[in-house]
Amino acid sequence: MTVQTPIYLDYAATCPVDPRVVDAMLPFFTQMYGNAASRTHSFGWTAEQAVDNARAELARTLSADPKEITWTSGATESNNLAIKGVVEYVQSGAEGTRPHVITAVTEHKAILDTCKYLERHGADVTYLPVGPDGLLTAEQVAAAITPATVLVSIMFANNETGVVQPIAEIGKVCRERSVLFHTDATQAFGKVPIDVDAMFIDLLSMSAHKIYGPKGVGALYVRRRKPRVRLAPQIHGGGHERGNRSGTLNVPSIVGFGEAVRLARESMAEESARIQGLRDHLHDRIMAENEHVFVNGAYDHLLPGHLNISFAYIEGESLLMALKDIALSSGSACTSASLEPSYVLKAMGLDDELAHSSLRMTIGRFTTREEVDHVADALKRHVTRLREMSPLWEMVQDGIDLNSIQWAAH
Ligand SMILES: *Cc1c(COP(=O)(O)O)cnc(C)c1O
């Protein structure tokens, strides 16, 4: 059977908007276009009602209260609001204190860059290492807590590898020590069950476009009781969203986000099983058909749709180039002119070569078995071809230990 190309296997980067989500959004552009903050007429009331419905969908999916949901422009903003919001609130209350934040080296740049910023603005940050499997432990977090610690921020699941952290255990440690716990759940929300009470989560970041909603809208869960979380707002003006985040609400996108969340929650069990079945099939074929390939991240702790694999003795970029009709990501990040190996994979102990030779394949709602088989076929063909062209591969085949070679200086 022929499949239509290009094939999209990069659902962790973004998703197509589900047509049902588009249908839900459309009337809010031209018919129900009121400002949700307009209290004096039905246009405003209709918009506010729609926003409230969406808020309730998110809250229900987290076992939270709708009052605990703050709309943002996406998870990058949610992460900024959570981390700067907590730290700056503490700083505003006690002149001269240096609040301490704990996070991990494998976090998204929206966390790491925010922490770097705070280090230049009167805060201290501890970056916890991860194991070769990409996992952290609650014991590591407990050991890093000091009397100055105000916030722990650990992502629910990693965007590059799909590794899911022991969130409830980490949350429990934080609650016992009266430290706030934030989690960037952008990859996990809508895909695995999340209960903010059972997991002791105080702040949680979400984004619509990773779950078949529109780009440019997200939310932050902010616990209101036991404990009540206080944030310094990052955007001022008008006091929308209980003062947490001012600005006229993007009603069509919020409606779309709510519908995307409803669809994700209602189909979660069935959809996860289907997507994981495809992912396992792709994994099994790649492992059976290629030598010297390694899964990055603890396979039994992955999100259902993630697969990150290193193909030793191949440049990831050459493989990407050969797989032009398949949309996926490599373990190399283009920073200006140079190709940097993924900091996430390097933190898991991979050398530059293996990090560069990795591919992230992420499967989603619209992926078919035919597409997955096409990808496995193409991988087998190109991996074989590229290795046949590689002098390193020839040496490996001849049984030469590459680590024993004294390379000439270059
Ligand atoms: C995509 C992503 C973000 C950024 O979300 P935006 O809504 O695009 O700003 C943050 N964290 C993680 C883990 C992500 O996967």
Side-chain angles (χ1 to χ4, degrees):
M1 181 184 306
T2 57
V3 299
Q4 226 182 327
T5 56
I7 291 171
Y8 192 72
L9 222 58
D10 205 11
Y11 280 83
T14 195
C15 303
V17 180
D18 190 298
R20 294 167 292 182
V21 169
V22 176
D23 286 345
M25 291 172 68
L26 283 177
F28 290 89
F29 287 101
T30 52
Q31 294 154 39
M32 297 181 269
Y33 48 79
N35 185 326
S38 295
R39 291 280 156 74
T40 51
H41 51 69
S42 66
F43 292 87
W45 302 330
T46 304
E48 188 184 26
Q49 185 59 54
V51 166
D52 285 346
N53 291 345
R55 219 186 278 283
E57 289 297 346
L58 269 70
R60 184 171 166 194
T61 307
L62 296 170
S63 301
D65 186 285
K67 292 194 186 78
E68 297 176 309
I69 303 297
T70 293
W71 302 113
T72 65
S73 63
T76 298
E77 187 190 334
S78 300
N79 287 341
N80 272 262
L81 176 57
I83 300 176
K84 289 186 211 161
V86 166
V87 168
E88 290 177 3
Y89 184 83
V90 171
Q91 287 173 329
S92 70
E95 197 87 14
T97 53
R98 282 189 74 87
H100 176 231
V101 175
I102 298 170
T103 187
V105 288
T106 48
E107 294 289 314
H108 191 271
K109 286 289 182 188
I111 299 287
L112 295 177
D113 288 350
T114 302
C115 287
K116 289 271 174 276
Y117 166 87
L118 284 173
E119 285 186 279
R120 297 192 302 270
H121 290 83
D124 294 312
V125 181
T126 297
Y127 301 89
L128 296 175
V130 298
D133 52 7
L135 284 164
L136 277 167
T137 65
E139 290 74 30
Q140 276 177 281
V141 174
I145 292 176
T146 74
T149 309
V150 295
L151 181 71
V152 169
S153 180
I154 299 295
M155 70 202 318
F156 207 109
N158 186 270
N159 43 302
E160 288 191 30
T161 59
V163 168
V164 177
Q165 298 294 348
I167 289 299
E169 291 168 38
I170 294 171
K172 187 156 182 285
V173 160
C174 294
R175 187 65 55 82
E176 282 166 3
R177 307 281 292 272
S178 300
V179 171
L180 294 178
F181 178 42
H182 166 249
T183 185
D184 175 357
T186 312
Q187 290 291 336
F189 180 63
K191 295 175 199 151
V192 296
I194 301 180
D195 181 321
V196 288
D197 288 330
M199 296 174 168
F200 310 98
I201 294 165
D202 300 313
L203 296 132
L204 180 144
S205 300
M206 301 159 265
S207 183
H209 76 101
K210 305 285 176 78
I211 55 165
Y212 314 96
K215 293 167 187 56
V217 62
L220 180 66
Y221 159 79
V222 185
R223 178 174 290 282
R224 271 169 64 82
R225 43 190 300 276
K226 293 185 181 176
R228 181 186 185 91
V229 177
R230 302 290 200 153
L231 296 177
Q234 302 299 307
I235 297 183
H236 303 269
H240 306 74
E241 300 297 282
R242 294 167 198 283
N244 279 342
R245 200 276 193 179
S246 292
T248 301
L249 292 178
N250 179 352
V251 178
S253 290
I254 288 169
V255 168
F257 193 4
E259 180 66 0
V261 169
R262 189 182 68 80
L263 294 169
R265 187 184 62 245
E266 288 179 354
S267 62
M268 192 183 293
E270 179 198 333
E271 181 160 73
S272 295
R274 191 190 75 85
I275 287 173
Q276 187 170 332
L278 290 178
R279 194 275 312 276
D280 289 343
H281 176 62
L282 180 58
H283 165 267
D284 294 350
R285 278 203 55 187
I286 292 173
M287 299 314 274
E289 296 170 16
N290 303 275
E291 298 173 79
H292 298 277
V293 291
F294 312 97
V295 174
N296 295 313
Y299 193 71
D300 50 356
H301 287 80
L302 298 184
L303 286 175
H306 266 74
L307 187 59
N308 188 312
I309 293 193
S310 287
F311 298 81
Y313 316 113
I314 293 184
E315 272 289 319
E317 291 302 305
S318 327
L319 196 49
L320 270 190
M321 213 86 86
L323 300 169
K324 270 192 308 293
D325 62 350
I326 303 166
L328 23 76
S329 303
S330 84
S332 308
C334 276
T335 52
S336 58
S338 70
L339 280 178
E340 288 287 328
S342 150
Y343 67 91
V344 170
L345 299 182
K346 290 208 70 179
M348 292 161 61
L350 270 71
D351 60 23
D352 286 10
E353 270 67 38
L354 272 184
H356 274 308
S357 78
S358 73
L359 291 183
R360 177 184 73 181
M361 295 160 265
T362 42
I363 289 166
R365 181 170 291 167
F366 305 108
T367 308
T368 65
R369 189 168 170 104
E370 287 70 32
E371 288 178 327
V372 164
D373 278 322
H374 178 93
V375 172
D377 291 342
L379 273 171
K380 163 80 181 142
R381 198 163 62 245
H382 291 294
V383 166
T384 306
R385 182 180 61 80
L386 288 168
R387 279 179 177 164
E388 277 166 1
M389 290 160 41
S390 154
L392 284 183
W393 180 247
E394 205 174 309
M395 292 161 81
V396 172
Q397 296 306 93
D398 292 342
I400 298 170
D401 177 4
L402 297 183
N403 292 320
S404 70
I405 298 174
Q406 302 276 312
W407 301 102
H410 43 257

